[in-house]
Amino acid sequence: MPATPHVEKHFAASASVRDVVIGMADGLTVPFALAAGLSAAVSSTSIVITAGLAEIAAGAIAMGLGGYLAARTDTEHYASERAREEWEIDNKREFEIAEVRDVFVGYGLQGDALATVVGAVTADRARWTDFMMRFELGLEEPDSKRALTSAATIAASYLIGGLIPLAPYFFAGSIAQALPISVGATGVALAAFGAIKGLFTGISPIKSAAQTLLVGGLAAGAAFWLAHLFG
Amino acid sequence: MPATPHVEKHFAASASVRDVVIGMADGLTVPFALAAGLSAAVSSTSIVITAGLAEIAAGAIAMGLGGYLAARTDTEHYASERAREEWEIDNKREFEIAEVRDVFVGYGLQGDALATVVGAVTADRARWTDFMMRFELGLEEPDSKRALTSAATIAASYLIGGLIPLAPYFFAGSIAQALPISVGATGVALAAFGAIKGLFTGISPIKSAAQTLLVGGLAAGAAFWLAHLFG
């Protein structure tokens, strides 16, 4: 079906930008909060760096590989539901015809018009199955070719996001020097990321930047407070 | 529209179980990998506990609050797209009628049947808007009442998942004692979680358990190796 311009814009953005947003939102937040939290409890930058790198590796693998396997499960789930619909069309034909009818009754069709439409949709087995998948189950066919690219994009975005708060600890001589640079750099990155995300998702960049800063700030604040308590 | 039994089962499970799965998958994996990684680099259980608690707090807030704000954005996005469709129906009526026609042409309708169906769908403005939202834009109305419950469920699941690998460090006297207990307990928890997740998502429990163990094992292995390198 032809898409109106705003739709095309919406969908062109969603595939790859969405993966970057998913990875970077957590990548900027969690390693930042961990580094800030540990800064309240330990005296050596090397422990912050070690913990930060371990967290970034773990988070990137959990999000990337976890996301890849989830996408594969979705593809398998779609295939098995589709096979089930095909079986039902072949073996419980009247029941499936009634389901098509119910969809159109919901849109106000009745009488001859209803019968004609139901007849047209159920005339072709492949098209009928397509119809059931989308209108009855609400399932879109997953794009299985994108799963690997998507997983790699999410993992790389997490990695890049996570290295921003951690970088100052590599170069500063002490935690007292590194923490304010890390907070400042990550604050700027979170606000910029939130604003750009707002442009893509269609909400106000200022509001989106404020939300991203809020999540990062609360996460870092809670981590700092907990680490201070137990450290 | 009436749902077949397998659909109802599918959807009943998805709402709350999906939130637990999302939170626990990362909660069992990332704090576990961080604790295992730090065990390769530091000599005191208190640093592992401090870093672990900081990470769990940060991760739970990032996933819970981040998820809540994302759900609110979805609700706003749906409302603004719906207002746009309503505007288009009022002001670009012929163009929108052609879009409805294209949807049904795609399902093989033509001639009088096509005209009748298009007439029926476009006869009622609210129903017509519903149709455009679902079939042109592929957007379902988000359940805004669930956003808060969903966020809290995800955060709590992350917290509970994260405390399993960390608990041994509270009670064991040394890292050498805590690490094998943590690996064993988390391995059992990851496998059990994967198997139960498999039952809900309809894939083989053994395969699902193996996948969950693989993600957790690789994340922990990478964190351990990196921490060993830098620690």
Side-chain angles (χ1 to χ4, degrees):
Chain A
M1 87 190 87
T4 48
H6 71 275
V7 179
E8 294 217 292
K9 192 183 159 214
H10 179 68
F11 276 91
S14 62
S16 47
V17 170
R18 201 171 154 268
D19 292 336
V20 173
V21 165
I22 290 172
M24 199 158 280
D26 279 13
L28 276 171
T29 306
V30 184
F32 166 55
L34 178 65
L38 278 178
S39 296
V42 301
S43 54
S44 143
T45 53
S46 77
I47 290 176
V48 178
I49 290 171
T50 303
L53 289 176
E55 208 286 337
I56 291 171
I61 290 172
M63 290 195 86
L65 183 58
Y68 172 71
L69 292 172
R72 266 198 14 187
T73 300
D74 282 348
T75 304
E76 286 163 22
H77 181 242
Y78 183 89
S80 77
E81 291 287 325
R82 192 174 174 96
R84 183 176 200 137
E85 281 301 330
E86 281 169 350
W87 183 88
E88 287 178 353
I89 284 171
D90 293 339
N91 295 282
K92 296 164 76 181
R93 192 177 167 84
E94 289 309 312
F95 188 69
E96 292 296 299
I97 290 175
E99 288 186 341
V100 176
R101 193 179 294 126
D102 288 331
V103 170
F104 289 111
V105 167
Y107 285 103
L109 264 68
Q110 46 192 356
D112 285 349
L114 179 61
T116 313
V117 173
V118 173
V121 169
T122 57
D124 181 282
R125 186 169 174 270
R127 209 142 59 190
W128 186 1
T129 314
D130 285 344
F131 182 88
M132 299 308 283
M133 292 308 290
R134 177 136 191 210
F135 292 62
E136 188 209 6
L137 299 180
L139 291 177
E140 303 268 351
E141 186 165 9
D143 185 353
S144 55
K145 286 172 204 148
R146 276 208 79 254
L148 206 59
T149 323
S150 170
T153 309
I154 291 174
S157 306
Y158 191 93
L159 186 79
I160 292 166
L163 287 176
I164 294 173
L166 211 57
Y169 292 87
F170 278 100
F171 303 111
S174 71
I175 283 189
Q177 281 178 352
L179 181 61
I181 304 173
S182 176
V183 170
T186 311
V188 171
L190 279 168
F193 166 73
I196 294 166
K197 189 178 80 172
L199 290 177
F200 277 108
T201 52
I203 66 167
S204 146
I206 291 170
K207 188 175 169 187
S208 181
Q211 286 186 348
T212 318
L213 273 173
L214 176 75
V215 176
L218 276 182
F224 192 88
W225 174 77
L226 259 175
H228 190 73
L229 214 67
F230 283 83
Chain B
M1 87 191 89
T4 48
H6 69 276
V7 179
E8 295 218 288
K9 191 183 162 216
H10 179 68
F11 276 91
S14 61
S16 46
V17 170
R18 202 172 153 269
D19 292 335
V20 173
V21 166
I22 289 171
M24 199 158 280
D26 279 13
L28 276 171
T29 305
V30 185
F32 166 56
L34 178 65
L38 278 177
S39 296
V42 301
S43 54
S44 140
T45 54
S46 76
I47 291 177
V48 177
I49 290 171
T50 303
L53 289 176
E55 208 286 337
I56 291 171
I61 289 172
M63 291 196 83
L65 184 57
Y68 173 71
L69 292 172
R72 267 198 14 189
T73 300
D74 282 348
T75 303
E76 287 163 23
H77 182 242
Y78 183 88
S80 77
E81 291 286 326
R82 192 175 175 95
R84 183 177 203 139
E85 281 299 332
E86 282 170 350
W87 183 89
E88 288 178 352
I89 284 172
D90 293 340
N91 295 281
K92 296 165 74 181
R93 192 177 168 83
E94 290 308 311
F95 187 71
E96 292 296 299
I97 289 174
E99 289 185 340
V100 175
R101 193 178 296 125
D102 287 332
V103 170
F104 288 111
V105 167
Y107 286 103
L109 264 67
Q110 47 190 358
D112 285 349
L114 178 62
T116 312
V117 174
V118 173
V121 169
T122 58
D124 181 281
R125 187 169 173 272
R127 210 145 54 189
W128 187 358
T129 314
D130 284 345
F131 183 88
M132 299 308 283
M133 292 307 291
R134 179 137 190 212
F135 299 113
E136 190 210 5
L137 299 179
L139 292 177
E140 302 270 349
E141 185 164 10
D143 186 353
S144 56
K145 285 173 204 147
R146 277 207 79 254
L148 206 60
T149 323
S150 170
T153 309
I154 291 173
S157 305
Y158 191 93
L159 186 80
I160 293 165
L163 287 176
I164 293 173
L166 211 57
Y169 292 88
F170 279 99
F171 303 110
S174 71
I175 285 190
Q177 281 179 351
L179 181 60
I181 302 173
S182 176
V183 169
T186 311
V188 170
L190 279 168
F193 165 74
I196 293 167
K197 189 177 80 171
L199 290 177
F200 277 108
T201 52
I203 65 167
S204 146
I206 291 169
K207 187 177 170 185
S208 180
Q211 287 186 347
T212 319
L213 273 173
L214 176 75
V215 176
L218 276 182
F224 192 90
W225 175 76
L226 259 175
H228 191 73
L229 215 66
F230 283 82

